[in-house]
Amino acid sequence: MNGWHGRLLRINLTTQTTSIETIDPQVCRDFIGGRGVAMWYISKEVDPQVDPLSPDNKLVFAAGPLTATPAPTGNRYMVVTKSPLTGALAHSNSGGEFPTWMKRTGFDLFIFEGRAEGPVYVWVDEDRVEVRAAAHVWGKDTHETTDILKAETSDEARVACIGPAGENLALMAAIMNDKHRAAARSGVGAVMGSKNLKAVVAMGNKNPDLHDPTAMRDVSVDTSKNVGADVKKGSNMRIYGTSYVPQVTNTLGIFPTNNFQQGTFEHTKNIDGDALKNQYLIRHTPCYRCPLSCGRLTEVPDGKYKGKGEGPEYETISSLGSGCGVHDLAALVKANYLCNEYGMDTIGTGMTIAAAMEMYEKGYIPESVIGQPLKFGDHDAMIDMIKKMAHREGFGNDLAMGSYRLCEKYGHPEIAVTTRKQEFPGYDPRGSQGMGLLYATSNKGASHMEGDVAYEEVFGVPVKENPLSTDGKAELVKHFEDAFALIDSSGLCVFVAIRYVFSKDRLIFPQRLSEMMNFTTGAGYTPEEIMKAAERVYNIERLFVLKAGSTEDTLPYRMLHEPLPDGPAKGKVVELDKMLPEFYQLRGWDEKGWPTKEKLEELGLTM
Amino acid sequence: MRINVKLIANYQSLLPAGTIGNTIELEAPAGISVLQVLTPFGVPLDDTSVIVLNGLTVDLNTPVSEGDTVAAFSAIAGG
Ligand code: SF4
């Protein structure tokens, strides 16, 4: 096969045995790769009702057909599993270098099943696979673990691992790769921890074969040139990475502040891209083969927040910054480093602390329970809470359950800003209605990465939509959800894909991406066929989520009943009722949100 | 009348030299439109920019009032 290796590596951690299997080419074609093919295996092999932290859950690492090809940003992988945070589906994306190294082992997928008796790591050097003891790195942070495991395997290898948060089954635990990159959301790191799997180390020389290498090179060079032209003009993504976004969302009044109690933050300029660039930026850092290079190496050179690492990104600034009312940039940068070192999703971590802060200020959780005051803006208390969450110490044990369970435990579920028990990212949907519909319906719970319509509502890419209007948002959300399923399955990064390989015209939306897929795989997709495959991926995921019992597409109390008190979107709530029925209709789902028989037949999902 | 012009991130360089931050206050004639406010700054007035009036999506011919803020930023993926 071309593009796809058509091979998977199965690792049974209980028996410590491994096997190599071929992947049916028709499954690759129908489910694209990466996220889609991983989901096909999950739905075939994992009971949707399974306890996500039991040995019966499976953890899939999945590279896409464009991963490790010349396609710019073909450097992604997806982690797919049943989520312990949401009880539904997790599919978390990451870039850096590990995903390319993983693909070069000659496998598209690693499937981890069972549970090792004690801590282990898995070392994959092409077909040489070893399950090795990892007691010596258990308890160590992700940076130390990466260094130690590279030293005992190969300096040429790349490492994905969990930190203390994953070991301790914190529900916001991430899987970190290349130290700073995260498959962050939905508690994928806790699933890895539940299997006693500390790390995966990968290396190889098996680049995928390409169907038409010349055409693939030409389309890749041309795409890189387009990115390069924007970089030359002064692209914000190159200058600031995503850290320029606080100024944008604050201007639109959708910058989550104090646990979404407000939509504007008076201290934005203290934690925005300029502040970061002027004070702590060392240089920008790319994922493998990325012409945009939006990552940034930063350093707080001295003082009590001294440290060095990558980021923070926008989502971290909005969760650990404005979300917690924090405007001390050095402390915020340090909090980001700590999350990376402990292996934690910064959104889940920040917004859980934000919910605790609101409950503390309202008197719903007494100081005696927390062990200290926990006011909005108290950056030192925030840092203490991060440490306690990762290690499940004291009140950190409550925080490690995430904001939904925390707020429920203390009798105030209305404080939790979550859907499917997962914390909201950094766009207040009261001022971006399409994002509201997205969060409500998202298979993986609130996530911008499920179909980020903020591209149109906020950033004007590929076209500008009015964020306060509900008109046309049902169609927009469906399009973006399918587009993201396609991008995630292909192995590209959304930042470059949306801007440079999608057209502005939704009817011919993925033309260039279809070309890349065809030059790579020879599958001969038309743009319509590939969008249909993406819709198939979205629907097979939907079925899993519904069968897992996560059947309610709704929003938390605050979004439906508490109008935004400030900013341009003042007075707005999310008008979900105006969008949801049309969305179900466009999706071919019944009035309760279940895919109809006709839709499943159309997609070939009546298995 | 006094109005504000806010040019975000890389558009800040279009503000007069020496401007601190991303916003300036300026005197403008009554009835001036969003488009007319931004033209002298050289902000690209096509779909490569996102332009808002007081944070709201408006037609570029909308008249600006006393105290309003016209903001612009480059339309590029991020977040
Ligand atoms: S745009 Fe940023 S996140 Fe995406 S591949 Fe490039 S450096 Fe990585």
Side-chain angles (χ1 to χ4, degrees):
Chain A
M1 286 168 83
N2 298 315
W4 304 290
H5 289 301
R7 295 166 86 233
L8 70 82
L9 177 64
R10 191 182 291 277
I11 301 118
N12 186 314
L13 294 161
T14 309
T15 58
Q16 309 227 339
T17 52
T18 63
S19 56
I20 294 170
E21 296 169 22
T22 54
I23 306 174
D24 181 350
Q26 193 64 42
V27 170
C28 292
R29 193 183 195 289
D30 289 350
F31 292 88
I32 307 165
R35 171 176 149 189
V37 171
M39 192 58 218
W40 185 81
Y41 277 96
I42 290 278
S43 42
K44 211 163 60 102
E45 299 183 5
V46 176
D47 176 354
Q49 297 281 341
V50 80
D51 170 358
L53 297 178
S54 76
D56 293 336
N57 193 12
K58 299 194 183 187
L59 178 72
V60 185
F61 285 14
L66 297 182
T67 310
T69 70
T73 79
N75 60 43
R76 320 300 292 187
Y77 87 131
M78 299 289 300
V79 177
V80 184
T81 188
K82 181 171 177 185
S83 161
L85 178 72
T86 66
L89 182 67
H91 54 77
S92 299
N93 181 295
S94 184
E97 296 187 331
F98 174 82
T100 305
W101 269 241
M102 176 196 154
K103 179 86 177 274
R104 287 179 178 160
T105 62
F107 300 103
D108 301 306
L109 261 57
F110 295 165
I111 301 181
F112 301 99
E113 47 193 45
R115 171 187 288 156
E117 218 167 274
V120 296
Y121 75 95
V122 173
W123 164 220
V124 187
D125 175 7
E126 298 191 350
D127 287 358
R128 293 174 291 278
V129 185
E130 286 177 50
V131 181
R132 291 183 170 183
H136 61 305
V137 281
W138 200 255
K140 297 217 182 299
D141 73 33
T142 61
H143 290 205
E144 292 173 289
T145 301
T146 301
D147 290 338
I148 292 169
L149 296 187
K150 280 177 76 163
E152 63 189 50
T153 53
S154 165
D155 201 39
E156 300 304 311
R158 296 294 180 267
V159 178
C161 66
I162 54 170
E167 294 172 10
N168 295 322
L169 311 182
L171 296 184
M172 64 291 298
I175 299 173
M176 304 299 300
N177 60 279
D178 307 297
K179 294 186 179 176
H180 311 286
R181 301 276 163 175
R185 303 222 67 197
S186 316
V188 291
V191 175
M192 191 152 156
S194 76
K195 299 193 171 306
N196 278 324
L197 177 60
K198 176 69 178 176
V200 181
V201 187
M203 176 174 98
N205 288 312
K206 294 189 179 174
N207 278 313
D209 292 329
L210 303 179
H211 170 71
D212 187 341
T214 312
M216 188 59 191
R217 191 198 55 213
D218 291 348
V219 73
S220 300
V221 167
D222 190 58
T223 305
S224 288
K225 268 193 197 148
N226 293 339
V227 177
D230 276 356
V231 167
K232 216 165 158 201
K233 271 193 272 168
S235 161
N236 281 328
M237 285 294 276
R238 171 59 76 80
I239 304 170
Y240 299 101
T242 56
S243 71
Y244 80 96
V245 177
Q247 284 292 346
V248 171
T249 48
N250 194 53
T251 298
L252 302 185
I254 58 169
F255 190 31
T257 300
N258 298 338
N259 196 36
F260 286 88
Q261 292 182 96
Q262 295 92 33
T264 60
F265 188 47
E266 60 172 321
H267 304 290
T268 301
K269 72 172 181 350
N270 297 349
I271 55 170
D272 71 359
D274 274 314
L276 187 66
K277 179 165 150 295
N278 296 337
Q279 294 175 58
Y280 304 125
L281 178 70
I282 299 176
R283 60 180 158 81
H284 59 85
T285 50
C287 297
Y288 193 66
R289 279 191 183 148
C290 176
L292 189 53
S293 188
C294 77
R296 274 135 311 111
L297 182 67
T298 54
E299 181 173 22
V300 180
D302 44 37
K304 76 176 178 182
Y305 307 117
K306 185 172 157 52
K308 192 171 177 177
E310 285 190 18
E313 299 298 329
Y314 171 64
E315 289 297 340
T316 304
I317 297 172
S318 74
S319 50
L320 292 163
S322 59
C324 290
V326 162
H327 52 87
D328 183 306
L329 184 59
L332 168 55
V333 172
K334 181 69 178 180
N336 175 59
Y337 295 159
L338 287 174
C339 285
N340 287 351
E341 289 158 24
Y342 296 145
M344 299 164 88
D345 167 30
T346 55
I347 301 176
T349 302
M351 296 318 299
T352 300
I353 296 172
M357 286 172 161
E358 186 177 343
M359 296 222 283
Y360 169 78
E361 288 199 349
K362 291 189 165 155
Y364 302 154
I365 307 181
E367 194 173 315
S368 57
V369 167
I370 301 171
Q372 64 189 86
L374 189 60
K375 283 197 173 140
F376 283 111
D378 185 343
H379 47 265
D380 284 326
M382 178 179 79
I383 287 175
D384 284 344
M385 292 302 128
I386 292 172
K387 294 177 180 165
K388 288 186 170 146
M389 281 164 101
H391 298 99
R392 297 194 86 128
E393 283 167 20
F395 184 60
N397 198 40
D398 286 345
L399 292 170
M401 302 184 299
S403 57
Y404 180 88
R405 292 169 177 86
L406 175 81
C407 294
E408 205 167 51
K409 173 169 176 177
Y410 289 95
H412 287 275
E414 76 285 0
I415 305 284
V417 184
T418 59
T419 52
R420 295 195 154 83
K421 304 191 178 86
Q422 175 154 276
E423 291 76 18
F424 276 29
Y427 305 90
D428 192 316
R430 289 169 290 187
S432 49
Q433 296 284 319
M435 289 301 270
L437 178 62
L438 174 75
Y439 296 164
T441 59
S442 163
N443 284 331
K444 61 187 254 190
S447 168
H448 56 308
M449 295 303 284
E450 185 80 351
D452 197 351
V453 292
Y455 278 100
E456 296 207 359
E457 291 192 315
V458 177
F459 302 107
V461 177
V463 289
K464 179 80 176 94
E465 288 282 346
N466 182 353
L468 295 181
S469 165
T470 55
D471 290 348
K473 295 302 167 67
E475 194 207 348
L476 185 70
V477 169
K478 177 187 180 296
H479 258 291
F480 268 71
E481 285 172 345
D482 290 348
F484 272 56
L486 168 56
I487 297 165
D488 285 348
S489 299
S490 75
L492 294 190
C493 168
V494 291
F495 288 153
V496 164
I498 289 288
R499 186 85 165 82
Y500 301 97
V501 302
F502 279 102
S503 94
K504 282 181 192 271
D505 181 345
R506 281 188 214 143
L507 290 175
I508 50 165
F509 212 36
Q511 192 153 28
R512 175 155 274 197
L513 186 45
S514 317
E515 281 169 13
M516 286 183 172
M517 285 289 295
N518 291 335
F519 297 151
T520 298
T521 66
Y525 290 110
T526 63
E528 293 76 27
E529 273 175 331
I530 209 164
M531 284 309 280
K532 188 58 77 183
E535 192 184 359
R536 183 176 300 117
V537 171
Y538 204 80
N539 277 271
I540 196 174
E541 291 173 342
R542 177 77 180 179
L543 286 177
F544 184 88
V545 167
L546 294 172
K547 288 177 189 163
S550 186
T551 52
E552 226 190 335
D553 293 324
T554 188
L555 290 168
Y557 181 86
R558 177 157 290 160
M559 297 300 136
L560 296 174
H561 303 292
E562 287 179 24
L564 256 173
D566 61 336
K570 184 175 173 174
K572 286 291 237 178
V573 292
V574 182
E575 298 177 278
L576 186 60
D577 293 352
K578 282 195 182 167
M579 301 179 281
L580 193 59
E582 187 191 351
F583 175 80
Y584 283 167
Q585 206 183 11
L586 285 168
R587 276 247 168 255
W589 296 352
D590 68 18
E591 70 287 353
K592 290 205 165 114
W594 285 76
T596 59
K597 199 164 147 277
E598 295 74 34
K599 179 50 82 178
L600 294 177
E601 271 166 11
E602 176 196 319
L603 296 171
L605 289 177
T606 45
M607 51 206 193
Chain B
M1 63 179 183
R2 304 297 286 176
I3 62 165
N4 301 300
V5 174
K6 181 176 188 179
L7 301 182
I8 294 171
N10 59 350
Y11 281 7
Q12 271 178 93
S13 61
L14 302 172
L15 289 167
T19 304
I20 296 169
N22 60 13
T23 307
I24 55 163
E25 199 193 43
L26 52 86
E27 185 66 29
I32 192 170
S33 70
V34 170
L35 191 88
Q36 289 164 330
V37 168
L38 290 176
T39 302
F41 292 92
V43 170
L45 297 169
D46 54 20
D47 62 5
T48 62
S49 297
V50 175
I51 295 163
V52 290
L53 176 61
N54 300 325
L56 301 171
T57 309
V58 292
D59 186 292
L60 294 188
N61 295 314
T62 306
V64 177
S65 306
E66 169 87 29
D68 281 355
T69 299
V70 176
F73 55 92
S74 162
I76 186 149

